[in-house]
Amino acid sequence: MTRKEAIQIRDKCTENGGPLAKRASAAITWLLKFCPEPQASGLHPYHKRIVLLFQKRLNKDRRDDAEVRAFKKIQDHITEEDFAALERFYRAPKPRDFDELLSPRRTKAIILIRNYQDELARAQKWCEENHERQKKTSQTLPEPEGWEEHAPGNLGKLSWHELCRPHQYPEIAKELHDKLNGLADTVHED
C-alpha cells in the first residue's frame, strides 16, 4: 500500500464517522508519522540550469552525490542577476585565440559549481566589457510554478529557459504560461 492510498483510506474512515472508523483513522494517522514523506523529485532549478549549460538536455533527474552536495553549499548565494551573467558568459562562443576571461571557462557542471564564486567574478567582468545586444524577437515569460507537471511529453525535463527559446518551443511555453496563470487566477478568486 502506498502512502497516498493510506491517506485516502484514512479520509474515507473520517467521512464515515462511526466510532470504529474514527479509531481506524487515528491509527492510520499515527502510522503515517513513521512513513517518510516522498522526496521531491528533480533538481533545484538553478542546479538544472547549470547542468544545461554543458548539456543539451537533462537525461536524468538524479545527479552525482558530490555534485548535489557541492550545489547545496552554494544554492543560497545564487541570485537571478548573477546567474543571468553566468549563463551569458557560458553561452558566448569559444574564442579563436586565447582570451583571458573566456578561454579558461569550466567544462563540467561539478567543476563550475565547486568554483562558483571565481567563475561568477569572471562572468561579471566579461559582461561589463561585452554589453548584451538587445534582441527584438525574444520574449522571456516568467516561469510558472509546477509547469513541468503540465508539459506535454518529455518537455518537463527541459529548463523553462530552454523551452522559451525561439528555436525550441515558445508556443508551448506561452500556452503553459497562460494556462497556469489562468489556473492561479481562478484559485485566488475563490
Side-chain angles (χ1 to χ4, degrees), residues 110-129:
I110 181 98
I111 299 171
L112 168 63
I113 291 169
R114 287 182 177 159
N115 299 295
Y116 179 75
Q117 292 299 329
D118 297 334
E119 290 298 298
L120 180 61
R122 280 205 331 239
Q124 289 172 337
K125 185 176 178 182
W126 183 83
C127 286
E128 286 173 9
E129 295 174 3

Side-chain angles (χ1 to χ4, degrees), residues 32-104:
L32 285 173
K33 291 178 187 176
F34 301 104
C35 296
E37 287 284 332
Q39 293 286 335
S41 64
L43 300 172
H44 189 280
Y46 284 132
H47 192 171
K48 195 184 274 189
R49 285 168 67 182
I50 287 174
V51 172
L52 289 172
L53 287 173
F54 301 99
Q55 300 174 357
K56 294 286 184 193
R57 66 181 154 208
L58 197 62
N59 295 337
K60 55 187 178 191
D61 283 342
R62 183 100 171 113
R63 300 296 296 173
D64 183 41
D65 290 338
E67 184 178 306
V68 173
R69 281 193 309 269
F71 180 78
K72 285 183 180 181
K73 291 178 184 177
I74 67 163
Q75 76 182 13
D76 296 332
H77 304 288
I78 300 175
T79 64
E80 186 60 38
E81 296 99 25
D82 291 345
F83 201 82
L86 195 68
E87 280 184 322
R88 196 168 150 245
F89 177 66
Y90 270 85
R91 298 210 190 280
K94 187 176 182 179
R96 291 182 187 213
D97 297 328
F98 179 79
D99 184 273
E100 184 180 314
L101 296 173
L102 288 178
S103 293

